[in-house]
């Protein structure tokens, strides 16, 4: 069974950068979305960025141009580079492996399946 674990959270000033990493272990199904999600205090979970089996990436509108997901060939990691951080980016960020295809719908539609990490906190101070 696939497992995922996040690392790399922290506190930064507005405009700063952070890089989150997701370590992936175990077998993944061919139709697996890898994604980053977040939950801010008092708000519902939302999708940040996802990648499908074909390498197509989709981003939430509010992070386009600032956040980038990447996966190095041969490495079992899935990273989220966050630049130009804003106070509204403050949240608990989760990595997930989701058995689905396509993947873009996961950004804005609630769902309750997949394999999730415990989350890593990102705090952006104004």
């Amino acid at each position: 069974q696939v497992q995922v674990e996040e690392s790399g959270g922290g506190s930064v000033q507005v405009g700063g950068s952070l890089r989150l990493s997701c370590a992936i272990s175990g077998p993944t199904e061919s139709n697996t979305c890898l994604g980053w999600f977040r939950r801010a205090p008092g708000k519902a979970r939302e999708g940040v960025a996802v990648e499908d089996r074909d390498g197509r990436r989709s981003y939430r509108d509010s992070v386009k141009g600032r956040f980038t997901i990447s996966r190095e060939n041969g490495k079992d990691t899935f990273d989220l580079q966050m630049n130009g951080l804003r106070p509204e980016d403050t949240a608990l960020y989760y990595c997930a492996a989701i058995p689905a295809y396509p993947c873009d719908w996961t950004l804005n539609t609630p769902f309750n399946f997949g394999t999730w990490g415990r989350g890593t906190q990102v705090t952006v101070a104004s």
Side-chain angles (χ1 to χ4, degrees):
Q1 183 177 353
V2 64
Q3 293 182 326
V4 296
E5 183 175 3
E6 309 90 344
S7 62
S11 298
V12 294
Q13 297 293 315
V14 169
S17 298
L18 280 174
R19 188 176 185 89
L20 307 183
S21 186
C22 176
I24 306 163
S25 59
T28 55
E29 299 178 12
S30 57
N31 288 348
T32 295
C33 307
L34 293 177
W36 285 96
F37 298 77
R38 66 187 182 188
R39 187 192 301 273
K43 295 188 177 180
R45 188 189 71 205
E46 61 185 23
V48 176
V50 293
E51 180 180 284
D52 70 14
R53 68 180 187 189
D54 301 318
R56 280 190 295 264
R57 296 166 182 166
S58 301
Y59 295 88
R60 180 168 208 80
D61 284 348
S62 62
V63 307
K64 286 179 181 178
R66 301 188 297 124
F67 291 11
T68 305
I69 50 177
S70 62
R71 188 175 186 189
E72 293 188 45
N73 288 336
K75 289 189 177 182
D76 292 328
T77 59
F78 182 65
D79 294 350
L80 177 67
Q81 177 66 41
M82 304 184 294
N83 300 326
L85 283 161
R86 305 168 180 170
E88 55 264 38
D89 295 319
T90 295
L92 190 61
Y93 282 70
Y94 299 91
C95 176
I98 304 151
Y101 182 81
C103 302
D104 54 342
W105 64 270
T106 65
L107 294 177
N108 296 299
T109 303
F111 63 97
N112 261 332
F113 56 90
T115 300
W116 297 79
R118 294 184 177 183
T120 185
Q121 180 67 37
V122 171
T123 302
V124 184
S126 57

